Amino acid sequence: MSSFRAHSMAGRVVLVHDMDEQTIISEFDVEQASTLLNQLETALAEVLEGIAKRPATPAPEVIA
């Protein structure tokens, strides 16, 4: 299992990715962080759109 945390530090954005065996720390200036945020928003919108377009699965029948 992994997790992400974002922090601001001295006018920069620091992204910490904690994984089981290692931790990766990435540092971004404002422009890089803005680009990353836009890419994340676009990707999330595409994922949500795909989920919304999936046909609804019928509920299982209950035999009483």
Side-chain angles (χ1 to χ4, degrees):
M1 186 75 183
S2 67
S3 64
F4 290 92
R5 294 186 317 264
H7 305 277
S8 63
M9 185 180 302
R12 299 181 65 79
V13 175
V14 177
L15 182 64
V16 179
H17 183 189
D18 285 320
M19 296 176 280
D20 291 336
E21 299 292 325
Q22 63 183 336
T23 298
I24 299 191
I25 300 172
S26 302
E27 188 176 323
F28 305 94
D29 64 24
V30 173
E31 185 177 334
Q32 292 169 320
S34 178
T35 298
L36 177 59
L37 180 58
N38 288 334
Q39 291 172 349
L40 286 168
E41 288 174 334
T42 299
L44 178 58
E46 290 172 1
V47 168
L48 293 175
E49 183 179 317
I51 290 171
K53 288 183 179 179
R54 288 185 194 162
T57 56
E61 291 185 33
V62 177
I63 301 174

